Amino acid sequence: MAEKVLIIDDDKQAVELISLRLKERGFEVYDAPDAQTGLRMAYKHQPDLVMLEVVLPDRDGWDICRQLRDLSDMPIIFVSNRTGKEDVIRGLEIGADDYIAKPFDDDELVARIKARLRQLPKTTLHEEYVFNNGDFRINFMNREVWIRNKLKHLTPKEFNLLAVLVRNAGRVVSRTELVTEAWGDEYGDAIDSLKLYVHYLRQKLETNPQQPEYILTSRGVGYRFIQR
């Protein structure tokens, strides 16, 4: 079965060139001109690898990379006109596996894709996770959380924290890891405000915030999401 590559980029010329080269080498290729379409295609087609531009019409590639990384360990490669050293570093720090500047060499691009596909097993993107016999539902595509069939309104920072905890359900996530995975390395010094945001989450999600069922504290280490 051909390996699937999803290209999220509104640069038609670059997309056509990449698609042609990949199809010549036996890949199944999908493309999306914006972030929202790209996310929907990722859930629908379950690609083995995603190629991503930083500059997109609706949302930036940094945000999409974080969202995809919250859900899967699939390889993500930035292929971008943003070629500054700081852009490359940022892309790798937020979870991308590689960063390639445009214009690129066709053979090098394909070689890097093949190298990344050899390194990791195929993972599945889940649009929605359901726990506690359906009492807790989190939809990553719509960024919605439902508790006992009631929609809970979370801020973007709250949702990102919860997403990291859910993706690591059952495992204690350290405070540093939780902050950097949810908000990015630039928020590494925001650990002091983490406790407050966890408090906000518990107020919105738990039946009794003083005796939480879902988000538990591991004293001196971090937090753990309990799947039931």
Side-chain angles (χ1 to χ4, degrees):
M1 183 180 293
E3 291 175 300
K4 294 182 284 189
V5 174
L6 170 62
I7 307 168
I8 305 176
D9 193 340
D10 66 338
D11 182 344
K12 292 183 179 180
Q13 185 175 357
V15 170
E16 289 176 0
L17 178 58
I18 296 171
S19 296
L20 177 63
R21 295 294 178 261
L22 292 180
K23 288 176 181 178
E24 288 175 347
R25 290 161 174 81
F27 290 96
E28 187 175 341
V29 183
Y30 301 91
D31 64 84
D34 56 67
Q36 193 66 14
T37 304
L39 285 171
R40 294 190 182 281
M41 293 187 75
Y43 292 119
K44 179 179 179 180
H45 298 293
Q46 298 291 318
D48 298 289
L49 181 144
V50 172
M51 302 178 67
L52 182 61
E53 170 61 85
V54 174
V55 181
L56 295 168
D58 49 349
R59 292 163 63 186
D60 65 50
W62 312 127
D63 190 24
I64 302 307
C65 180
R66 288 194 186 98
Q67 191 167 348
L68 289 171
R69 185 54 74 231
D70 279 343
L71 306 176
S72 172
D73 291 324
M74 73 165 70
I76 299 172
I77 299 178
F78 276 109
V79 182
S80 180
N81 286 312
R82 295 275 292 268
T83 59
K85 179 180 178 181
E86 63 279 5
D87 294 313
V88 176
I89 292 173
R90 183 179 184 184
L92 297 175
E93 285 183 341
I94 64 175
D97 298 278
D98 204 348
Y99 197 110
I100 301 172
K102 296 177 183 175
F104 47 80
D105 179 83
D106 295 356
D107 292 333
E108 179 184 355
L109 178 67
V110 174
R112 291 199 189 191
I113 290 172
K114 289 182 176 180
R116 294 301 172 186
L117 288 170
R118 285 196 299 267
Q119 290 175 355
L120 291 173
K122 179 176 173 60
T123 58
T124 301
L125 276 170
H126 294 283
E127 182 172 350
E128 185 170 273
Y129 279 47
V130 180
F131 301 102
N132 201 11
N133 295 318
D135 281 351
F136 183 105
R137 292 188 291 120
I138 178 170
N139 187 295
F140 293 99
M141 183 70 223
N142 298 326
R143 295 177 69 83
E144 293 178 347
V145 177
W146 296 78
I147 304 294
R148 292 174 289 279
N149 294 320
K150 292 184 179 179
L151 178 64
K152 301 295 180 176
H153 297 284
L154 305 186
T155 67
K157 291 183 76 172
E158 291 167 354
F159 186 91
N160 289 345
L161 280 178
L162 183 62
V164 175
L165 289 168
V166 169
R167 184 169 179 252
N168 292 278
R171 178 175 77 84
V172 175
V173 183
S174 73
R175 292 189 296 271
T176 300
E177 180 184 359
L178 185 53
V179 167
T180 55
E181 287 291 323
W183 299 339
D185 288 276
E186 61 268 31
Y187 287 91
D189 58 354
I191 292 177
D192 290 342
S193 46
L194 177 60
K195 185 176 181 179
L196 179 62
Y197 277 91
V198 170
H199 169 76
Y200 292 154
L201 279 175
R202 285 173 172 161
Q203 293 294 319
K204 294 180 178 181
L205 305 181
E206 305 283 4
T207 302
N208 181 357
Q210 304 305 315
Q211 296 180 328
E213 302 175 64
Y214 295 112
I215 303 174
L216 304 187
T217 301
S218 179
R219 295 192 181 280
V221 182
Y223 298 92
R224 176 166 53 110
F225 182 87
I226 298 297
Q227 55 184 16
R228 299 176 182 277

